[in-house]
Amino acid sequence: MRSILAILTVAALSGCSSTSYFLVSSQFVASTQAQQPAEIIATDAYRGDGSKTKTVALRAPDSCANATAAQATGDAASRGTILMTNCGVEMAEIEKALARNNYRVISWNVLARELRGTKSANEVAESLGADVLFQINSLEKSQKTLGKDARWERKYFTSNHMAQQVAPLPLADGDRALIRQRYLNDVDAKYNDKSRTYAVTLDATAVWVKSGQSIWYYRWTRGAESDPTGTRYSVLLACEDGYLPLCQRTFPTQNAAVRSTLMTAGESTAVSVSEKAEDREKALYAELLREVIDNFVGSYAESRRSAGVAAAPTALPTSAAPASEATSSPVTSPTNVPVDLPQGQKS
């Protein structure tokens, strides 16, 4: 406040009004949010039988957000769909993650088709040879609000009509509050979406098919990391006689001395040299989805690792290879995994 009074005093002694310029620099700061671990409930039955899981079946939730692969991943904006399956994109991601962990996967679509009869999901899964039925209860896209450590940090300077920083400007709490309420709140509102971040939630249950018992529960909300310095902007205030209530929010004027007068007969305008997702929001959701699914499958497979059970390699059907190759190609096996040899044959 003293600095403002000093400016007013100088203006009064001079006998004429003048315009003083103040520059307010604002920066949005959000400390990295600690991610909460997945909520997992493992029963004694899971600890006993989970490691024995070899074949799994998937059941999709009752309703799905339908989108093509390009739409769901944000690789391209939709301009018309040729072929699309309800729940297909998300369920296919889960199937691929399970296959990467060397589980035999019964297609969720096959299970859904068989459920059109009178059998229960568990009965259908058992008839298809599944050890475990994964019931996907919910797969949600959402936005979560950042914690109280999300804030605006501001710096104040005396300036000129070109918005150049001249010197730091100490201000009393009342003066800062006045500037914020009169000149900054509407600007802040345009950037307040920076205080929210994208998130994906997966809720699923594993059912041991033979007994029908739910043996393992999973739920996790994965939020995107916040940008610690996501937004910056500056406001130039032109104040009559340095009096804050009489300020006008202005923008720096262009210096005529730096204007170019060079004439040219042509030009080259850069457009883009790198591929970018048409829809960054969907691309971010797709990245979070893959991370949640990988965590979901990896967490269930932990019982296999804890029990010291090696993941069985996914075997191709016998008909997948020509007979000539099947008889001439040697059979290989993973290291340290015993192979039963026919009687009388030596290793």
Side-chain angles (χ1 to χ4, degrees):
M1 181 64 76
R2 291 182 180 178
S3 60
I4 303 300
L5 291 175
I7 295 174
L8 287 171
T9 302
V10 172
L13 292 175
S14 63
C16 61
S17 63
S18 61
T19 300
S20 298
Y21 294 94
F22 306 118
L23 183 68
V24 183
S25 175
S26 300
Q27 178 179 348
F28 183 84
V29 177
S31 300
T32 302
Q33 301 292 299
Q35 294 289 342
Q36 296 297 322
E39 179 185 350
I40 298 174
I41 300 176
T43 66
D44 290 338
Y46 164 78
R47 285 185 282 269
D49 295 330
S51 61
K52 303 174 185 177
T53 305
K54 295 181 179 179
T55 304
V56 300
L58 288 171
R59 185 181 184 187
D62 294 333
S63 61
C64 296
N66 300 323
T68 64
Q71 285 178 283
T73 59
D75 289 337
S78 176
R79 292 294 182 268
T81 302
I82 299 174
L83 181 64
M84 181 177 69
T85 305
N86 290 349
C87 305
V89 176
E90 292 79 8
M91 296 302 293
E93 288 293 332
I94 299 176
E95 287 185 352
K96 287 186 287 187
L98 287 164
R100 283 195 296 269
N101 279 264
N102 292 307
Y103 289 107
R104 298 184 183 93
V105 182
I106 298 171
S107 172
W108 70 275
N109 214 6
V110 171
L111 185 73
R113 185 173 63 247
E114 295 296 324
L115 283 175
R116 294 170 186 171
T118 58
K119 292 184 178 181
S120 67
N122 199 63
E123 291 172 335
V124 172
E126 185 174 16
S127 68
L128 294 172
D131 301 311
V132 165
L133 170 65
F134 284 114
Q135 171 65 59
I136 308 301
N137 303 315
S138 177
L139 186 56
E140 308 167 11
K141 299 175 182 178
S142 61
Q143 287 189 339
K144 60 183 297 187
T145 303
L146 299 177
K148 294 181 180 180
D149 53 354
R151 63 195 182 278
W152 286 101
E153 291 186 352
R154 309 191 196 277
K155 295 181 181 179
Y156 304 84
F157 305 90
T158 57
S159 184
N160 54 32
H161 70 286
M162 291 297 296
Q164 296 171 332
Q165 297 178 9
V166 176
L169 178 64
L171 290 174
D173 292 343
D175 291 332
R176 292 197 299 270
L178 187 150
I179 291 175
R180 183 173 61 254
Q181 294 169 6
R182 291 201 178 190
Y183 310 117
L184 304 180
N185 279 353
D186 61 327
V187 183
D188 288 351
K190 297 178 181 179
Y191 296 103
N192 278 343
D193 60 342
K194 294 288 186 179
S195 65
R196 297 177 64 80
T197 186
Y198 300 110
V200 167
T201 299
L202 174 62
D203 188 295
T205 304
V207 179
W208 190 251
V209 171
K210 290 183 179 180
S211 64
Q213 178 185 357
S214 297
I215 63 171
W216 189 78
Y217 303 86
Y218 179 93
R219 181 178 177 84
W220 190 32
T221 298
R222 174 68 168 98
E225 300 292 346
S226 59
D227 184 354
T229 57
T231 300
R232 298 171 184 262
Y233 75 89
S234 295
V235 168
L236 182 64
L237 302 177
C239 307
E240 183 178 346
D241 292 331
Y243 186 49
L244 289 179
L246 298 180
C247 295
Q248 296 292 326
R249 190 170 59 197
T250 64
F251 299 94
T253 58
Q254 188 177 20
N255 189 343
V258 299
R259 294 178 181 174
S260 174
T261 58
L262 178 65
M263 302 297 291
T264 179
E267 65 177 358
S268 175
T269 304
V271 178
S272 177
V273 294
S274 60
E275 182 181 358
K276 296 181 180 179
E278 289 289 331
D279 191 330
R280 295 186 180 278
E281 177 180 320
K282 290 180 180 177
L284 180 56
Y285 273 132
E287 181 180 346
L288 291 173
L289 175 66
R290 284 189 291 269
E291 185 175 347
V292 170
I293 290 174
D294 286 343
N295 182 270
F296 161 66
V297 176
S299 297
Y300 183 84
E302 185 62 33
S303 65
R304 191 167 57 187
R305 291 188 288 270
S306 299
V309 177
T314 304
L316 293 174
T318 305
S319 58
S324 60
E325 294 181 2
T327 55
S328 60
S329 299
V331 178
T332 59
S333 62
T335 305
N336 298 328
V337 177
V339 177
D340 294 330
L341 298 175
Q343 188 174 3
Q345 183 178 346
K346 297 181 179 180
S347 58

